[in-house]
């Protein structure tokens, strides 16, 4: 049993115990059940589909902003990191970077 299956089962249990709604459990279980069937190649294909690009880039923007706010990097360095990160999405496929 993999971690995604465990997560789906925990949502089913939470719904049966009334901790969350059945509707919420069904949505979460649908995703975790699907992910439980995927291998690494499937995950790479999902990532390459661009479904997660904006979420990933948003995490990077937050990290870079925090680093500039802390004084760890300056704005020029932050811009370079953001630009390089964006280029990598165009230049590399997920299976090339892992």
């Amino acid at each position: 049993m993999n971690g995604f299956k465990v997560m789906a089962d925990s949502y089913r249990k939470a719904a049966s115990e009334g901790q969350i709604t059945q509707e919420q459990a069904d949505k979460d279980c649908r995703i975790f059940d699907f992910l439980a069937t995927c291998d690494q190649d499937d995950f790479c294909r999902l990532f390459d589909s661009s479904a997660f690009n904006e979420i990933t880039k948003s995490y990077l923007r937050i990290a870079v902003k925090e680093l500039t706010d802390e004084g760890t990097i300056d704005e020029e360095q932050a811009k370079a990191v953001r630009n390089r990160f964006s280029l990598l999405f165009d230049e590399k496929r997920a299976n090339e970077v892992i």
Side-chain angles (χ1 to χ4, degrees):
M1 179 178 293
N2 69 33
F4 295 118
K5 179 69 174 139
V6 170
M7 290 298 296
D9 290 345
S10 69
Y11 278 102
R12 287 185 185 93
K13 182 178 180 192
S16 72
E17 294 174 353
Q19 297 171 359
I20 61 173
T21 66
Q22 187 63 48
E23 179 182 4
Q24 183 60 51
D26 290 345
K27 290 184 86 145
D28 290 324
C29 290
R30 184 180 73 230
I31 297 302
F32 286 119
D33 285 336
F34 165 71
L35 291 173
T37 69
C38 295
D39 61 15
Q40 181 142 332
D41 192 49
D42 295 328
F43 288 121
C44 288
R45 281 192 172 92
L46 284 167
F47 196 85
D48 286 338
S49 75
S50 77
F52 306 106
N53 286 9
E54 289 310 309
I55 295 168
T56 304
K57 289 177 183 180
S58 293
Y59 274 111
L60 177 80
R61 283 190 288 272
I62 291 168
V64 168
K65 182 177 182 339
E66 289 177 358
L67 290 170
T68 55
D69 290 348
E70 295 166 0
T72 305
I73 61 174
D74 62 34
E75 189 52 48
E76 186 176 319
Q77 292 167 322
K79 183 177 179 180
V81 169
R82 287 189 301 266
N83 289 341
R84 180 67 53 93
F85 189 78
S86 291
L87 282 173
L88 286 172
F89 277 87
D90 296 330
E91 295 174 350
K92 306 272 185 196
R93 296 183 53 87
N95 62 359
E96 295 176 277
V97 300
I98 57 170

